[in-house]
Amino acid sequence: MTGGRDRLGRRAFVTGAGAALLAGGAAGPAAAKDTGSAGAGPSGVVTSAGGGAGRAGPTGVVPSAGAGTAGAEATGAEATGVASQAGAAAATSADTTAAEISADTTAAETAGAGAADFEAAVAETAVVDGPLPGFHPALEAALTFPLAWGTAPVRDFRAWRRAARSKVDELLIVDREDGTPYAPEFGEPVRQDGYRAQSVTLSLTRHERVRAALLTPDGPGPFPAVLLLHDHGAKFDIGKEKLVRPWDDDVRLASAQAWAQKYFGGRFVGDELARRGYVVLCADALGWGDRGPLAYDQQQALASNFFNLGSSLAGLMAREDARAAGFLAGLDRVDARRVAAVGFSMGAYRAWQTAALTDAVRAAACVCWMTGLKEMMVPGNNTLRGQSSYYMLHPGLPRFLDFPDVASIAAPRPMLFFSGALDPLFPTDGVRTAHEKLRAVWRSRHAEERLRLETWPDLGHVFVDRMQDEVFDWLDRVL
């Protein structure tokens, strides 16, 4: 097999006589060439190393020789997007195999059709910049999201929620672990300004113990609570520390302060919430902080290894987040009727996903992660780089539901979605598409007042103090 380019400059791969025609030589076998490329960075522009001085936890990701720190820290806070079309693209590409191209080429030569006809045949299998298959518009057109509310034949909303949640559950690949004991071990509380900080180590799955940060306001309780979900950002040395100020690690404190300054207006969101009277739980996802640090260019291999082991990296994160919500709601110090999920960037994705998966979450605030899938799957979008996208990739799910359709499983509970008009990761047309879908679902439940959708015209991919204040006030009202 040899590689060539058609008149549009697209990469194409042909065999046999077709290869000879491109090369201008005799027909015959040629060596295959791997043209796959690694993603440059999770938000498009690479600026600085993201590994840092984080400590590898005893139950975190096993580092490989020479892995080092994360390849790059992106200017956006997030490895955004979901490369959900990968499995569908691979299946469809079988329709135009190399053997078919070779046969078509031979027939064209025999008939004297010439190079122009050959190039037209080759173009059907081109890989265009992205990289995307040349026939990706056909794949996107086939995505009709038939299980979406309003499209699905089910007209009873509760029945639809059960059916949609069941489909998401199925495609997470990772099984539920409702029967696995949390077996929490609480660290010694440390007095802070209006609250107490302590660690808690618990079993979110039967495979691993996870250390989380737990903040409790001063006073008798029970309190409302927030499951706080950290972003991606291609910065793996810290996870929970991006949102909760480290009280026992000066090295991570310096890294966390720099991150807070860059994306959160210098604040630690978890500490702000605790001062306002919320219990806060924040844990590392696999690959970050105590469970890492992972290197940027290891993400795709880690996800592939999960798939080969019959599991899923994205499915694990989804299950762990839902389990964390259940643990938080079950604490004696927490009012189980007043538990919210809050996140920025990938953390926002995790927040609405958790609200869709478990009723333990009564509200969710999601900042800078909501779009229509088709509007995101375009050349130049960060999702197409792979790597970070695997944390948000559930194979086969787009054949049934779009992102806002999954989030709508949480309806009619209170939900907030903020976006930045200057956010390079989520184009405004995708945000608009998603917001329209969400609004239609909540309207159908006569619950529009429970849905807040807002695009900040002067902001990009950030969760700065004025956005936080709006979220905090909203939580006070809806919980």
Side-chain angles (χ1 to χ4, degrees):
M1 180 180 289
T2 187
R5 288 184 177 270
D6 68 7
R7 287 175 295 187
L8 299 177
R10 298 180 295 187
R11 294 188 295 277
F13 308 93
V14 298
T15 59
L21 181 60
L22 277 180
K33 182 177 180 182
D34 181 3
T35 62
S37 61
S43 59
V45 183
V46 175
T47 57
S48 62
R55 302 170 301 181
T59 58
V61 177
V62 179
S64 61
T69 60
E73 173 185 328
T75 57
E78 174 74 0
T80 55
V82 180
S84 301
Q85 261 62 19
T92 308
S93 65
D95 295 337
T96 51
T97 62
E100 290 171 330
I101 298 169
S102 180
D104 290 344
T105 301
T106 302
E109 290 172 333
T110 302
D117 290 340
F118 168 70
E119 287 186 0
V122 167
E124 295 178 2
T125 63
V127 177
V128 299
D129 287 341
L132 284 165
F135 48 85
H136 72 90
L139 297 179
E140 291 179 5
L143 295 176
T144 60
F145 311 116
L147 194 52
W149 174 248
T151 302
V154 181
R155 290 292 176 262
D156 178 80
F157 191 76
R158 291 185 179 180
W160 173 80
R161 287 185 70 237
R162 289 193 298 270
R165 181 180 284 179
S166 177
K167 179 56 66 176
V168 176
D169 272 335
E170 172 193 340
L171 295 176
L172 293 184
I173 302 176
V174 178
D175 294 334
R176 297 171 62 100
E177 295 209 24
D178 298 338
T180 299
Y182 291 110
E185 299 177 77
F186 295 93
E188 191 66 26
V190 176
R191 300 284 307 180
Q192 302 290 344
D193 180 20
Y195 62 97
R196 302 180 303 282
Q198 65 185 137
S199 65
V200 56
T201 303
L202 68 159
S203 296
L204 295 177
T205 69
R206 64 185 181 277
H207 302 296
E208 186 178 8
R209 301 282 287 169
V210 176
R211 191 170 77 100
L214 180 64
L215 309 182
T216 305
D218 292 342
F223 304 99
V226 168
L227 175 64
L228 204 51
L229 300 159
H230 69 73
D231 60 68
H232 188 294
K235 184 172 178 58
F236 300 97
D237 62 312
I238 53 174
K240 58 186 177 294
E241 295 86 3
K242 295 178 179 182
L243 296 165
V244 174
R245 187 181 188 276
W247 62 88
D248 58 355
D249 189 324
D250 291 340
V251 174
R252 286 185 178 173
L253 176 58
S255 182
Q257 286 174 325
W259 197 254
Q261 192 63 45
K262 189 172 185 179
Y263 293 107
F264 304 114
R267 286 176 167 180
F268 287 97
V269 176
D271 299 70
E272 294 294 326
L273 283 164
R275 291 188 190 97
R276 291 179 70 110
Y278 290 86
V279 173
V280 175
L281 179 70
C282 190
D284 296 322
L286 184 64
W288 282 269
D290 295 333
R291 305 176 74 189
L294 188 67
Y296 174 80
D297 59 5
Q298 290 179 310
Q299 295 175 97
Q300 202 153 311
L302 178 62
S304 174
N305 292 335
F306 263 90
F307 287 141
N308 281 324
L309 290 168
S311 190
S312 165
L313 177 60
L316 174 70
M317 185 171 71
R319 291 294 191 210
E320 288 187 344
D321 290 345
R323 284 269 293 169
F327 170 75
L328 179 60
L331 291 175
D332 291 340
R333 68 192 79 179
V334 169
D335 182 346
R337 300 166 300 174
R338 304 170 67 197
V339 176
V342 175
F344 162 66
S345 202
M346 183 184 76
Y349 171 94
R350 297 168 66 189
W352 57 253
Q353 178 175 254
T354 304
L357 289 172
T358 175
D359 293 336
V361 171
R362 302 303 180 96
C366 318
V367 180
C368 291
W369 211 117
M370 179 46 71
T371 183
L373 173 61
K374 292 183 181 182
E375 290 77 13
M376 189 173 68
M377 294 296 296
V378 294
N381 190 278
N382 180 69
T383 298
L384 274 60
R385 299 179 184 276
Q387 293 293 356
S388 307
S389 299
Y390 279 81
Y391 275 96
M392 292 154 280
L393 169 58
H394 304 303
L397 186 56
R399 298 180 65 180
F400 301 94
L401 297 162
D402 199 355
F403 298 130
D405 302 327
V406 176
S408 294
I409 296 171
R413 282 171 281 165
M415 299 278 278
L416 175 150
F417 295 88
F418 281 172
S419 63
L422 306 181
D423 190 337
L425 302 178
F426 297 97
T428 54
D429 59 338
V431 174
R432 188 181 307 111
T433 295
H435 284 186
E436 289 172 356
K437 278 194 162 189
L438 293 164
R439 187 177 291 109
V441 176
W442 264 259
R443 182 185 299 126
S444 76
R445 301 297 89 211
H446 307 289
E448 286 183 89
E449 75 283 356
R450 296 184 180 182
L451 178 68
R452 181 169 178 186
L453 306 171
E454 184 171 346
T455 298
W456 296 66
D458 60 331
L459 295 176
H461 198 73
V462 293
F463 186 20
V464 292
D465 47 5
R466 55 191 166 113
M467 301 172 84
Q468 293 168 34
D469 290 340
E470 291 287 331
V471 168
F472 300 158
D473 290 344
W474 178 83
L475 289 171
D476 291 344
R477 291 194 301 273
V478 302
L479 287 181

